[in-house]
Amino acid sequence: MTAQPVILVDTRSGVRTLTLNRPDKLNAANNDLILTLTRELQAADADDSVRVIVVTAAGRGFCAGQDLGEVSGDHVDFTHHLNTTYNPLIRALRNTGKPVITAVNGIAAGAGASLGLAGDIRLWAQSAAMTQVFSNIALIPDSGSTWFLPRLVGYHRAFELMAFAQKVTADDALKLGLCEHVFPDETFHADVQAYAERLAARPANALKLTKQALQASMTGTLDDALDQESVLQQKAGDSWEHKEGLSAFAEKRPANFVK
Ligand code: T3D
């Protein structure tokens, strides 16, 4: 019997969908899954035919975090493990210039919650939920959750969610700003694909530069942002996309940003 691939890869209409595929374990992250997902994100970044990347999962869960079956021994070298698995994964996801949609189809726990938060756009199914479950096993949040969550909900709310491993429902996630849209379970993957195709039709170079400016702004001052905008706007303004946008406006037609 051949083993199932841990990540399914599909490309349609410029949208590369990477599907975590360990549904029996709620897509708990073993080393194979983490390293394969990282490689696939890098491959999608390098592929000119890919305009948008979607990370989602098979079955009823999104990702239950670290596969606890792989953690054993009296002393696990967590620092080494994080530096060679989750940290490169989150960096690969955040460093691509292409928009990444994390499509959270079900429970997102531990490092799975961090992965769900890491997208540029977060789309949730109605039955999805997030739990910063780390404290249940007396670990601290990792894979970027200590960076993402307080920026979204503030320090105090983040601490309470982490301390009690509270489950956040999709409706609450929408109110808290943990996701942009909630779609019905029955149509979730089709709705995500339709949304991703709309995003894929937007100007790719401008979105790449927008991501660069926004990410830099997270750690800089207003002065830094103004300087950065003036540099990046030149790059956007020199592009064929900008010329196409101006022509489309003058000709009263929709712009075509896909060559
Ligand atoms: O470097 C490092 O290693 C440190 C990094 C840490 C990062 C982390 O992510 S730490 C957090 C690890 N994750 C967890 O502690 C979550 C454990 N799972 C749960 O708390 C619950 O399963 C859920 C809240 C996620 C979902 O609950 P529920 O009731 O919907 O499902 P379930 O029945 O508990 O799970 C279904 C199956 O998935 C079950 O298998 P079985 O009994 O049907 O054969 C369960 O054992 C399996 N499963 C769920 N989570 C994991 C898992 N198997 C391995 N690892 C898991 N994390």
Side-chain angles (χ1 to χ4, degrees):
M1 207 170 73
T2 49
Q4 288 290 312
V6 287
I7 302 294
L8 304 175
V9 181
D10 174 67
T11 311
R12 268 178 294 153
S13 308
V15 177
R16 170 75 47 90
T17 299
L18 306 176
T19 302
L20 281 57
N21 189 37
R22 302 186 73 218
D24 295 349
K25 300 278 179 203
L26 302 180
N27 303 300
N30 60 11
N31 280 0
D32 188 16
L33 183 144
I34 302 167
L35 299 177
T36 307
L37 182 57
T38 305
R39 275 197 304 275
E40 290 298 345
L41 284 164
Q42 289 162 342
D45 186 43
D47 186 337
D48 287 342
S49 70
V50 175
R51 295 174 65 86
V52 169
I53 303 168
V54 174
V55 177
T56 190
R60 74 174 176 90
F62 175 67
C63 176
Q66 171 62 35
D67 186 330
L68 297 176
E70 271 199 359
V71 183
S72 62
D74 285 343
H75 176 72
V76 176
D77 191 340
F78 288 103
T79 303
H80 176 75
H81 191 236
L82 288 173
N83 282 327
T84 54
T85 57
Y86 290 105
N87 292 354
L89 167 62
I90 298 299
R91 288 191 176 109
L93 193 155
R94 292 294 285 188
N95 290 346
T96 170
K98 298 175 185 183
V100 179
I101 296 174
T102 42
V104 179
N105 53 297
I107 185 75
S114 309
L115 180 65
L117 292 174
D120 300 300
I121 300 273
R122 290 84 35 93
L123 305 177
W124 282 32
Q126 186 64 57
S127 66
M130 184 200 81
T131 165
Q132 294 281 330
V133 74
F134 307 88
S135 58
N136 283 354
I137 54 171
L139 289 182
I140 71 153
D142 62 25
S143 309
S145 268
T146 63
W147 193 85
F148 296 121
L149 203 55
R151 282 170 171 74
L152 292 164
V153 300
Y155 172 99
H156 301 91
R157 182 70 69 104
F159 181 72
E160 191 184 34
L161 288 170
M162 290 166 171
F164 291 106
Q166 292 165 339
K167 232 181 217 181
V168 180
T169 64
D171 289 338
D172 285 343
L174 200 52
K175 286 186 207 133
L176 286 169
L178 302 185
C179 67
E180 281 60 64
H181 299 283
V182 175
F183 294 134
D185 290 346
E186 303 72 34
T187 56
F188 182 64
H189 290 294
D191 289 342
V192 168
Q193 178 68 23
Y195 183 101
E197 287 183 19
R198 282 203 294 126
L199 190 56
R202 303 297 299 159
N205 181 59
L207 297 194
K208 178 180 176 176
L209 297 171
T210 301
K211 280 185 59 161
Q212 199 179 325
L214 276 179
Q215 292 197 9
S217 82
M218 302 294 278
T219 52
T221 63
L222 173 61
D223 273 337
D224 296 334
L226 293 171
D227 289 342
Q228 172 94 325
E229 287 169 6
S230 72
V231 172
L232 297 180
Q233 193 66 291
Q234 190 64 53
K235 294 188 179 179
D238 287 343
S239 72
W240 69 267
E241 288 178 346
H242 177 53
K243 292 181 182 57
E244 165 61 10
L246 290 178
S247 302
F249 178 76
E251 294 160 21
K252 298 189 186 303
R253 60 169 174 82
N256 179 6
F257 294 119
V258 184
K259 262 189 172 164

